[in-house]
Amino acid sequence: MCIGSTELLAEAWEDGGARVGRLSDGRVVSLAFLPEARSGDVVLLHLGVPVEVLPPTPTDPEGVAA
């Protein structure tokens, strides 16, 4: 069984040739697996390591009556 979580990538930068980022909870993580990740992306974490950039989800799904 795999347990993952999602987190917002608050910022991303280069540090000594390596891509790193800060998550919205303040953790600094390696972006080695996600060179395309940008600030504002939602990432899937596996054991605290970002492994996938998730597609944006609509905040107001079609067909849902308010």
Side-chain angles (χ1 to χ4, degrees), residues 5-66:
S5 61
T6 60
E7 192 71 45
L8 177 69
L9 184 61
E11 57 182 312
W13 67 91
E14 296 278 333
D15 186 14
R19 289 206 18 96
V20 293
R22 183 178 319 277
L23 301 175
S24 61
D25 66 2
R27 288 183 286 170
V28 175
V29 295
S30 169
L31 296 175
F33 293 129
L34 300 176
E36 75 280 7
R38 300 289 176 250
S39 178
D41 286 344
V42 175
V43 295
L44 175 66
L45 302 172
H46 174 68
L47 298 175
V49 178
V51 294
E52 185 177 349
V53 175
L54 299 176
T57 58
T59 56
D60 187 21
E62 290 183 40
V64 177

